[in-house]
Amino acid sequence: MTHPSDEQPLPLAAGEHPPVPGAIKVSSVDMADAHYSTRTKARKAALDILFEADLLNRDPFVSLAQRLDDPEASVREFTREIVLGVRDNTEEIDRRISSLAASQWPIERMPRIDRCLARIAIYELDFTDIDVRPAISEALELADGLSTDDSVTFLNGLLGRAAQTRPGRKGHDQQ
């Protein structure tokens, strides 16, 4: 398997900007051959769909539908659940992210990948019964492999605050 630093930069799409000065675009790691859990692969697939929709400024359902219509693509049920859950709750999720993020770092300024990872994790934390640890650790693992050097620290802080303030949860349920 090649390391991302060994790859040649990919051209940016029209209107796409590097998340930080000096960042380059490389292809993402193909998780199909890696030894990841089914749920991790499903989250990565959801991330790909949400990232594409964010990049193209379109409804995530359109990107999901394209994959569902592709006879060669296999879309896990958990991927569908995440994509549709984020799509159906985007306004509330984005308000939550904005309330947790530093005022100098609004959601629009976040690198696209971090924004999508935060949306997935907040969806899982606030709208499902998932335990805190897997929701956060999966987001951090994906950020570590796919985003900037500062992303893991940023998301860890943001998601840690989200876990402490999960709606409808008592303090002892968040550990």
Side-chain angles (χ1 to χ4, degrees):
M1 182 160 73
T2 62
H3 189 272
S5 63
D6 298 333
E7 295 184 43
Q8 293 298 315
L10 297 173
L12 296 175
E16 186 177 19
H17 303 286
V20 295
I24 61 169
K25 181 178 177 181
V26 296
S27 63
S28 65
V29 177
D30 182 8
M31 296 183 85
D33 297 327
H35 299 288
Y36 293 100
S37 75
T38 301
R39 289 180 75 82
T40 301
K41 290 177 186 177
R43 282 182 182 95
K44 169 62 171 74
L47 173 64
D48 290 344
I49 292 167
L50 293 168
F51 183 89
E52 176 183 292
D54 191 316
L55 177 66
L56 298 175
N57 196 29
R58 69 178 181 194
D59 187 324
F61 184 77
V62 174
S63 295
L64 175 62
Q66 286 179 337
R67 285 178 180 71
L68 292 171
D69 289 342
D70 182 349
E72 295 181 19
S74 170
V75 179
R76 290 175 173 88
E77 184 57 36
F78 188 50
T79 299
R80 291 180 206 185
E81 178 187 327
I82 293 170
V83 171
L84 295 176
V86 169
R87 173 194 181 240
D88 293 346
N89 298 287
T90 297
E91 287 182 27
E92 191 172 341
I93 291 168
D94 284 357
R95 275 194 304 272
R96 182 108 154 93
I97 292 169
S98 294
S99 74
L100 296 165
S103 61
Q104 71 272 19
W105 203 254
I107 194 166
E108 300 82 24
R109 267 194 74 200
M110 288 180 191
R112 185 171 276 116
I113 195 93
D114 296 356
R115 183 170 52 240
C116 292
L117 284 168
R119 285 175 174 156
I120 290 169
I122 295 294
Y123 164 72
E124 289 190 282
L125 290 170
D126 289 2
F127 296 92
T128 72
D129 291 328
I130 191 170
D131 290 332
V132 169
R133 287 183 189 100
I136 294 175
S137 67
E138 292 276 336
L140 298 180
E141 181 179 340
L142 289 168
D144 187 46
L146 301 172
S147 196
T148 68
D149 292 341
D150 297 328
S151 294
V152 173
T153 303
F154 170 74
L155 285 171
N156 191 37
L158 180 98
L159 298 176
R161 288 188 297 281
Q164 293 173 346
T165 59
R166 285 176 87 175
R169 306 295 199 281
K170 294 183 180 176
H172 67 278
D173 290 337
Q174 298 151 13
Q175 302 302 320

